Amino acid sequence: MCGIVGAVAQRNVVPILLEGLRKLEYRGYDSAGIAVINGGLHRLRSVGRVASLTEMAEQAKVHGNLGIAHTRWATHGVPSERNAHPHISEDGLAVVHNGIIENHEEMREQLSAAGYVFVSDTDTEVVAHLIHSYWKQNGDLFAAVRNAVAELRGAYAIAVLSEKNPEALVVARKGAPLLLGLGKGENFAASDASALLQVTKKMVYLEEGDVAEIGLNGVRICDGAGNAAIRPVHESKLSVDAVELGPYRHYMQKEIFEQPGAVANTLEMVTGAQSIVPQLFGVEAQSTMKRIKVVTVLACGTSYHAGLVARYWIEAIAGIPCSVEIASEYRYRESVPNPDALVIAISQSGETADTIAALQFAKSLGQELTLAICNVAESTLIRHASLKFLTRAGPEIGVASTKAFTTQLAALFLLTLVLAKSRGRLAAAVEQKYLHALRHLPSALQQVLTLEPEVAKWAKRFSHKQHALFLGRGIHYPIAMEGALKLKEISYIHAEAYPAGELKHGPLALVDKNMPVIAIAPNDALLEKLKSNLQEVRARGGELYVFADADTHIQQGDGVHIIRMTEHAGYLSPILHTVPLQLLAYHAALAKGTDVDKPRNLAKSVTVE
């Protein structure tokens, strides 16, 4: 979602702020803005890309030693300059904000009655005026922010500066990520570490409710109760190169091709191991795994599809009942809690608001056995779970998730083996077979990537289509769902996924020569059933595009196009079949000329409900 960068230094911070915003473009946004102090408050805002804001800043020769900047993803008010951040109040006070203020309407009424004039449709402008109302009482910006946030309901990360306080900026967070960057004689703040790698690798992650003042020579932090707090300093493991595009046309393409390495990194702990151990998931995992009677997975979007695949694994291999919940729905229905349930929360960023809230709701019901599967070590989700597994996918910049998904699947398969072993359902010979398959997985993924030229040819035929149907059976049905999601996300082609056996129960009515049907055809127990379903499509004039294992004996012919994959990979087959579907979506979007890495209306990290 929205991105924040703040800086205080003895040099011009404008280039730092603008470069930080550029690094945050992947989060999704529709406008951008910057405010600096230089003998007064100077603000620039622009609808569209950071490049436009950069051009404006260069033309206006804006500079200063203290500043904040923002990329906005619209929630309250249409994308426009007047709704873009930073928002200002009297006496040159400016605010940028991520999240949603739930009580903004009542606060707006109170502040209007007090004489404040609102010029935008946003909830954020309330924050600016509320802070000013406290600031004018004693001129203490830090105290004003602390008093103001105590009245806010909802989620927020904010950064505040004032021309009356030109030595420092103040930040606060609750329910939205915010971190500090520590330099020498200069300090910074951002909503994502990638924005600050240009200036420092020393990061301080603020806790829920923290308020911090950032000056030239240091920072001071208070917790939600107003007590002085010391937060640990982390050395970021990210590199600047990791978030650069390199030789690829788009981040999505780069991240698709990074999957063999990302999966290898995720599985590094078992590469040379002779057995699977529970401690892969934390020091308390050994005792926890023995208690588990059921598994509940909480996730959104692509991570939800990973959970659906895991359900097949967990029930078939570990013999444990598993349910998969859409996180945004879970806490709004009455469910039956089970104190012996392992609650798994899955998120690439670890900042997905719905997933975090769902995990907290599960814990409030007495379900304390929790596991976070996440790609960011210092994320909120990781801190809220008792057990943890880092997927080690590296930075994922493209909005459409690729390597995060395949590394989540790798992690979930490891978890399945641990659960099975803890229940005495994993014979030593079978364990060795699975370990061998996991070690081979990166090279198998590398082989699948060689199919890109064939997939690209298919994609050109898709670019003028308006609809597509994806089919899968059994454990590959969630992969069909993921393929449909990828196609609609970045090419804007309407796509649906169905279990192939459900064709005759409705979707077959849609099939004609203008609707391509994409099928996943592994050589598994359901292959013959799938072949019958494909014949149903051909009998109605539908055109089939089939990703088939090499030994399925499905023949190419009129209206039937085949891309041959490797031999069947058993339970790991869904991971391999994911990759050509990602490539299909990427090249279809490329052929259509859409914005691959920043699809319209979407954001990378969904930090609001």
Side-chain angles (χ1 to χ4, degrees):
M1 304 290 276
C2 311
I4 288 174
V5 188
V8 54
Q10 295 174 330
R11 53 175 164 158
N12 180 20
V13 299
V14 172
I16 298 170
L17 297 175
L18 292 172
E19 176 63 12
L21 291 188
R22 192 177 73 81
K23 297 298 186 186
L24 296 179
E25 286 189 295
Y26 74 93
R27 295 169 68 94
Y29 68 104
D30 47 57
S31 59
I34 186 172
V36 296
I37 303 298
N38 183 9
L41 178 69
H42 302 271
R43 176 180 64 163
L44 292 174
R45 298 181 294 175
S46 170
V47 176
R49 296 304 181 201
V50 171
S52 299
L53 180 67
T54 301
E55 187 176 341
M56 290 174 61
E58 290 173 350
Q59 291 177 351
K61 294 182 172 54
V62 174
H63 65 282
N65 303 118
L66 176 70
I68 53 177
H70 189 265
T71 51
R72 175 180 186 254
W73 191 78
T75 56
H76 295 74
V78 300
S80 64
E81 183 178 341
R82 73 187 187 92
N83 287 330
H85 297 215
H87 289 284
I88 61 174
S89 188
E90 299 170 19
D91 295 307
L93 188 148
V95 173
V96 292
H97 162 231
N98 293 352
I100 289 178
I101 305 303
E102 295 176 357
N103 60 335
H104 72 97
E105 291 179 342
E106 59 192 78
M107 299 302 300
R108 181 181 284 251
E109 290 181 7
Q110 295 173 18
L111 290 162
S112 295
Y116 287 97
V117 177
F118 287 82
V119 296
S120 78
D121 304 314
T122 68
D123 53 342
T124 302
E125 194 176 1
V126 164
V127 180
H129 293 321
L130 182 62
I131 293 172
H132 181 267
S133 70
Y134 280 106
W135 175 85
K136 67 182 181 181
Q137 295 176 17
N138 59 17
D140 186 334
L141 186 61
F142 186 74
V145 172
R146 283 186 49 221
N147 289 328
V149 297
E151 294 192 37
L152 301 179
R153 293 200 310 268
Y156 57 79
I158 62 173
V160 189
L161 54 73
S162 170
E163 63 184 25
K164 305 294 184 182
N165 188 57
E167 302 297 326
L169 61 94
V170 179
V171 300
R173 73 158 295 243
K174 179 184 177 184
L178 195 68
L179 57 94
L180 311 181
L182 306 182
K184 294 181 179 179
E186 56 186 21
N187 292 294
F188 312 92
S191 50
D192 191 309
S194 62
L196 300 184
L197 291 176
Q198 54 170 317
V199 287
T200 183
K201 284 197 170 187
K202 291 184 177 180
M203 311 288 182
V204 174
Y205 292 85
L206 296 179
E207 298 288 336
E208 193 84 342
D210 281 356
V211 178
E213 183 179 61
I214 306 168
L216 284 173
N217 298 314
V219 301
R220 66 164 166 145
I221 303 171
C222 282
D223 63 19
N227 302 312
I230 298 175
R231 305 300 182 208
V233 179
H234 298 268
E235 188 82 16
S236 177
K237 299 296 191 295
L238 294 177
S239 69
V240 175
D241 290 343
V243 293
E244 292 295 341
L245 188 57
Y248 297 94
R249 296 182 67 177
H250 299 90
Y251 280 106
M252 183 178 180
Q253 185 188 32
K254 175 178 184 267
E255 288 153 12
I256 290 172
F257 276 81
E258 287 176 338
Q259 286 176 113
V263 169
N265 290 338
T266 298
L267 297 173
E268 183 181 30
M269 289 182 287
V270 300
T271 300
Q274 296 302 308
S275 62
I276 300 289
V277 295
Q279 286 81 358
L280 291 168
F281 294 88
V283 293
E284 299 176 3
Q286 187 158 6
S287 58
T288 298
M289 296 299 176
K290 294 177 180 178
R291 287 183 51 192
I292 295 164
K293 300 289 194 300
V294 298
V295 172
T296 301
V297 178
L298 307 173
C300 300
T302 286
S303 298
Y304 171 71
H305 296 156
L308 292 176
V309 173
R311 180 176 64 184
Y312 286 89
W313 288 335
I314 290 168
E315 294 193 346
I317 299 174
I320 301 176
C322 178
S323 62
V324 186
E325 301 272 358
I326 297 173
S328 59
E329 294 290 327
Y330 174 68
R331 64 191 171 114
Y332 295 114
R333 69 174 182 84
E334 293 188 16
S335 58
V336 181
N338 187 330
D340 295 320
L342 175 65
V343 179
I344 306 171
I346 310 173
S347 167
Q348 186 280 136
S349 66
E351 303 296 348
T352 306
D354 289 314
T355 306
I356 294 168
L359 178 64
Q360 292 171 331
F361 177 69
K363 290 168 68 175
S364 75
L365 298 177
Q367 300 178 117
E368 292 297 329
L369 306 180
T370 57
L371 166 65
I373 294 178
C374 179
N375 191 39
V376 181
E378 301 87 0
S379 64
T380 302
L381 194 69
I382 287 288
R383 293 198 298 270
H384 279 73
S386 55
L387 302 179
K388 306 156 180 65
F389 189 94
L390 291 174
T391 55
R392 299 183 66 188
E396 189 180 64
I397 307 301
V399 167
S401 182
T402 51
K403 61 179 179 173
F405 179 65
T406 47
T407 53
Q408 286 169 358
L409 289 176
L412 288 163
F413 192 77
L414 276 181
L415 174 66
T416 299
L417 298 183
V418 168
L419 290 171
K421 192 171 183 178
S422 69
R423 293 167 63 87
R425 289 176 58 97
L426 193 65
V430 176
E431 182 180 5
Q432 292 305 310
K433 182 187 75 170
Y434 287 141
L435 278 170
H436 175 75
L438 287 171
R439 294 182 190 115
H440 178 65
L441 186 57
S443 61
L445 284 166
Q446 195 68 55
Q447 187 175 355
V448 174
L449 286 168
T450 64
L451 299 174
E452 185 182 30
E454 294 179 67
V455 177
K457 291 177 183 178
W458 278 11
K460 289 181 180 178
R461 305 175 70 168
F462 277 68
S463 60
H464 64 281
K465 302 293 185 182
Q466 293 184 328
H467 309 279
L469 187 63
F470 286 71
L471 301 179
R473 294 208 69 149
I475 198 170
H476 292 84
Y477 168 49
I479 302 304
M481 297 172 70
E482 176 63 11
L485 176 62
K486 286 291 158 284
L487 189 66
K488 72 181 77 170
E489 275 183 309
I490 62 170
S491 74
Y492 316 144
I493 296 171
H494 171 244
E496 298 279 356
Y498 274 88
E502 287 293 292
L503 268 175
K504 61 182 72 68
H505 296 288
L508 202 55
L510 296 172
V511 172
D512 60 19
K513 63 181 180 180
N514 295 315
M515 176 179 266
V517 178
I518 302 95
I520 304 167
N523 190 9
D524 59 13
L526 290 171
L527 177 61
E528 295 306 317
K529 296 288 186 184
L530 178 67
K531 287 180 179 179
S532 297
N533 303 138
L534 300 185
Q535 289 301 318
E536 293 171 353
V537 172
R538 285 300 301 132
R540 275 77 180 177
E543 192 161 8
L544 284 165
Y545 295 82
V546 185
F547 292 101
D549 285 353
D551 51 1
T552 54
H553 305 296
I554 299 176
Q555 299 302 315
Q556 187 152 310
D558 184 36
V560 182
H561 312 281
I562 307 291
I563 287 182
R564 303 283 179 193
M565 296 188 56
T566 59
E567 301 297 321
H568 183 50
Y571 278 118
L572 296 178
S573 175
I575 300 177
L576 299 185
H577 276 273
T578 294
V579 175
L581 299 180
Q582 295 171 346
L583 289 168
L584 181 66
Y586 171 73
H587 283 283
L590 206 60
K592 288 193 68 175
T594 59
D595 192 336
V596 173
D597 289 331
K598 307 180 196 70
R600 67 189 183 202
N601 305 333
L602 299 180
K604 181 63 180 175
S605 181
V606 185
T607 55
V608 296
E609 187 178 355

